[in-house]
Amino acid sequence: MLVLVTYDVSTIEKSGRKRLRQVAKKCTDYGQRVQNSVFECSVEPDQYVRVKAELEKIIDNETDSLRFYLLGKNWVRRVENIGKSDAYNPDTDVFIL
Amino acid sequence: MLVLVTYDVSTIEKSGRKRLRQVAKKCTDYGQRVQNSVFECSVEPDQYVRVKAELEKIIDNETDSLRFYLLGKNWVRRVENIGKSDAYNPDTDVFIL
């Protein structure tokens, strides 16, 4: 099934910037980065449970947010892209949000 | 139906920062901001067509990305949140991604 993972990590403090890197790295283990803080992860149900638990350990529940959207197996018809659609490259793309 | 709108807008140039503000403002007309660049929009099919067209007019197709995820009517069981879950407030929350 496809699970969309989106996150906001507060980066006011250095520790937040570290969490941000850790969240992105963990998501990379499970899926494809499609935007700056958006990953599409093709996972089995047990992997989904695992990635949620692993990400929850990284974030600060008071300041950071993780959201998971279960798009199921028939997900292709649920996704539309407009504009730049190639995979996001954090090394070459610069976004200040 | 619930449509998730996620976006990356390149903000290297001033014009990009303007587009970013315009995209966020337009999304606010249709839905609820749940993360920095993630909106959940409860729309009818005709509104969905309209918001897509309006956002497409704002972005630069070469540098920016819009993604739409159709979560349907039975969307509540498709969404999970971990961590901070109250609506994102761009005036008080600071994120550097």
Side-chain angles (χ1 to χ4, degrees):
Chain A
M1 63 181 183
L2 193 78
V3 176
L4 188 75
V5 183
T6 70
Y7 54 83
D8 267 348
V9 175
S10 175
T11 53
I12 295 170
E13 297 179 11
K14 192 178 175 186
S15 57
R17 295 190 283 278
K18 184 179 178 187
R19 292 197 306 277
L20 182 67
R21 288 194 299 274
Q22 289 175 321
V23 167
K25 186 172 184 307
K26 183 58 66 184
C27 288
T28 307
D29 291 344
Y30 289 91
Q32 168 69 42
R33 193 173 213 158
V34 292
Q35 288 180 346
N36 188 35
S37 58
V38 180
F39 281 75
E40 290 176 356
C41 303
S42 181
V43 289
E44 296 301 317
D46 62 320
Q47 289 177 303
Y48 175 50
V49 171
R50 204 184 316 147
V51 68
K52 270 197 303 184
E54 290 175 351
L55 288 173
E56 189 169 10
K57 279 185 196 166
I58 297 171
I59 67 159
D60 180 333
N61 273 313
E62 298 296 316
T63 60
D64 308 335
S65 159
L66 285 169
R67 289 181 81 81
F68 301 89
Y69 297 90
L70 283 68
L71 300 177
K73 289 189 174 176
N74 194 12
W75 60 270
V76 172
R77 65 180 180 85
R78 295 184 179 276
V79 184
E80 289 192 63
N81 187 89
I82 294 176
K84 192 181 178 189
S85 64
D86 39 277
Y88 172 85
N89 184 338
D91 294 330
T92 58
D93 294 349
V94 176
F95 294 90
I96 303 165
L97 301 181
Chain B
M1 63 180 184
L2 193 79
V3 176
L4 188 75
V5 182
T6 69
Y7 54 83
D8 268 348
V9 175
S10 175
T11 53
I12 295 171
E13 295 178 13
K14 193 178 174 186
S15 57
R17 295 190 283 279
K18 185 180 176 188
R19 291 197 305 278
L20 181 67
R21 288 193 299 274
Q22 289 175 322
V23 167
K25 186 171 184 306
K26 183 56 66 183
C27 288
T28 308
D29 292 343
Y30 289 91
Q32 168 70 40
R33 192 172 212 156
V34 293
Q35 287 180 347
N36 187 37
S37 58
V38 179
F39 280 76
E40 291 175 356
C41 303
S42 181
V43 289
E44 296 302 316
D46 62 320
Q47 290 177 304
Y48 175 50
V49 171
R50 203 184 316 147
V51 69
K52 270 197 304 185
E54 290 175 351
L55 289 173
E56 190 169 9
K57 279 185 197 166
I58 298 170
I59 67 159
D60 179 334
N61 274 314
E62 297 296 315
T63 59
D64 308 335
S65 159
L66 284 170
R67 289 181 81 81
F68 301 88
Y69 297 89
L70 283 68
L71 300 178
K73 290 190 175 178
N74 194 12
W75 59 270
V76 172
R77 65 181 180 83
R78 295 185 179 276
V79 183
E80 288 192 65
N81 187 90
I82 294 176
K84 192 181 177 190
S85 63
D86 38 278
Y88 172 84
N89 184 339
D91 294 330
T92 58
D93 295 351
V94 176
F95 294 89
I96 304 165
L97 300 180

